[in-house]
């Protein structure tokens, strides 16, 4: 089994005359990868290309050996993408969602994750009745129970208080598969690899370096 789960070569993404990503080439290996960069640097665009939501203007992308566009149905069985944008149905009861996940992944596993995220006491509420921190925990439930080979998170800590952020970090640290996290908030987690995007270009890609990460978050 190859250690490389994402391979990007000569990637360019343009929206009209605006170049969002330019000349991106990188490899992401199995494990935990942190993707950082200022707003507008292209983090979400890169994740959308990796998951097949955006067609690149040029270049080649492989994820777990698949083309994200041509092999999207096969790839979706192996990855889970949790975006910053909350698409969760506002009126859905948490108990209904727990039932859906239980039918797919097994009730015991879902209940365990529910308790771990301290959502069990909110199970009879509707999504819109929860605070943003609790809503984000609900959205992360599937990530904890799915056993997907690769789980991708776009800004999972945005707008959260310290308690919710710490709880989610601890939960994500327990995921067995590979994860990619794009964040402008420093996660208190272990990472194997670091990617820094600036102005649509990769300025660092390699082994996780605390000095680069710390320096970026201090500046940001």
């Amino acid at each position: 089994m190859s250690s490389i789960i994402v391979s990007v070569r000569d990637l360019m993404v343009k929206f009209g005359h605006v170049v969002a990503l330019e000349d991106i080439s990188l490899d992401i290996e199995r494990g935990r990868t942190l993707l950082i960069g200022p707003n507008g640097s292209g983090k979400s665009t890169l994740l959308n290309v990796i998951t097949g939501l955006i067609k690149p203007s040029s270049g080649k992308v492989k994820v777990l050996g698949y083309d994200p566009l041509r092999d999207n149905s096969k790839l979706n069985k192996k990855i889970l993408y949790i975006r910053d944008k909350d698409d969760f149905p506002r009126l859905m009861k948490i108990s209904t969602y727990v039932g859906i996940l239980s039918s797919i992944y097994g009730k015991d596993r879902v209940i365990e994750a529910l308790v771990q995220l301290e959502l069990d006491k909110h199970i009879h509420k509707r999504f819109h009745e929860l605070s943003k921190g609790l809503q984000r925990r609900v959205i992360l439930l599937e990530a904890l129970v799915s056993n997907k080979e690769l789980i991708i998170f776009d800004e999972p800590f945005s707008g959260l208080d310290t308690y919710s952020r710490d709880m989610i970090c601890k939960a994500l640290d327990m995921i067995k598969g590979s994860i990619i996290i794009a964040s402008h908030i420093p996660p208190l987690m272990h990472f194997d690899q670091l990617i820094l995007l600036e102005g649509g270009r990769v300025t660092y890609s390699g082994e996780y370096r605390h000095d680069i990460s710390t320096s970026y978050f201090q500046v940001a």
Side-chain angles (χ1 to χ4, degrees), residues 155-210:
E155 299 290 357
F157 314 110
S158 178
L160 301 187
D161 57 42
T162 301
Y163 182 78
S164 292
R165 203 157 58 228
D166 290 347
M167 176 180 289
I168 288 173
C169 281
K170 290 176 182 177
L172 296 184
D173 233 356
M174 298 177 66
I175 292 176
K176 296 179 180 179
S178 295
I179 63 175
I180 301 171
I181 296 179
S183 179
H184 69 276
I185 296 172
L188 299 177
M189 297 171 55
H190 163 76
F191 287 97
D192 305 298
Q193 187 171 351
L194 178 68
I195 298 170
L196 175 57
L197 280 180
E198 296 178 290
R201 291 177 175 269
V202 174
T203 54
Y204 177 82
S205 176
E207 183 178 354
Y208 181 81
R209 285 182 50 181
H210 185 70

Side-chain angles (χ1 to χ4, degrees), residues 66-218:
Y66 294 105
D67 182 306
L69 293 172
R70 189 178 62 242
D71 306 317
N72 193 257
S73 60
K74 295 178 182 177
L75 184 59
N76 283 340
K77 294 177 181 179
K78 294 179 175 290
I79 70 171
L80 179 65
Y81 184 24
I82 298 179
R83 297 187 291 171
D84 180 34
K85 180 181 178 182
D86 294 339
D87 297 323
F88 201 93
R90 294 181 68 256
L91 297 178
M92 180 180 283
K93 284 189 174 182
I94 308 310
S95 57
T96 301
Y97 186 52
V98 167
I100 293 171
L101 292 181
S102 297
S103 66
I104 300 172
Y105 303 113
K107 184 177 180 179
D108 290 345
R109 187 184 301 172
V110 175
I111 295 301
E112 181 181 351
L114 195 75
V115 172
Q116 181 183 356
L117 292 174
E118 296 182 6
L119 290 169
D120 47 317
K121 64 192 76 172
H122 303 285
I123 194 169
H124 297 297
K125 295 179 181 178
R126 298 185 186 276
F127 186 74
H128 74 92
E129 296 174 331
L130 303 177
S131 67
K132 184 165 185 178
L134 289 171
Q135 288 180 352
R136 190 60 57 86
R137 291 186 226 170
V138 170
I139 293 169
L140 290 173
L141 262 176
E142 187 174 9
L144 301 188
V145 301
S146 67
N147 281 340
K148 296 284 188 177
E149 195 169 342
L150 172 61
I151 305 179
I152 300 171
F153 303 90
D154 191 2
E155 299 290 357
F157 314 110
S158 178
L160 301 187
D161 57 42
T162 301
Y163 182 78
S164 292
R165 203 157 58 228
D166 290 347
M167 176 180 289
I168 288 173
C169 281
K170 290 176 182 177
L172 296 184
D173 233 356
M174 298 177 66
I175 292 176
K176 296 179 180 179
S178 295
I179 63 175
I180 301 171
I181 296 179
S183 179
H184 69 276
I185 296 172
L188 299 177
M189 297 171 55
H190 163 76
F191 287 97
D192 305 298
Q193 187 171 351
L194 178 68
I195 298 170
L196 175 57
L197 280 180
E198 296 178 290
R201 291 177 175 269
V202 174
T203 54
Y204 177 82
S205 176
E207 183 178 354
Y208 181 81
R209 285 182 50 181
H210 185 70
D211 58 331
I212 294 177
S213 177
T214 302
S215 175
Y216 164 76
F217 287 119
Q218 286 177 345

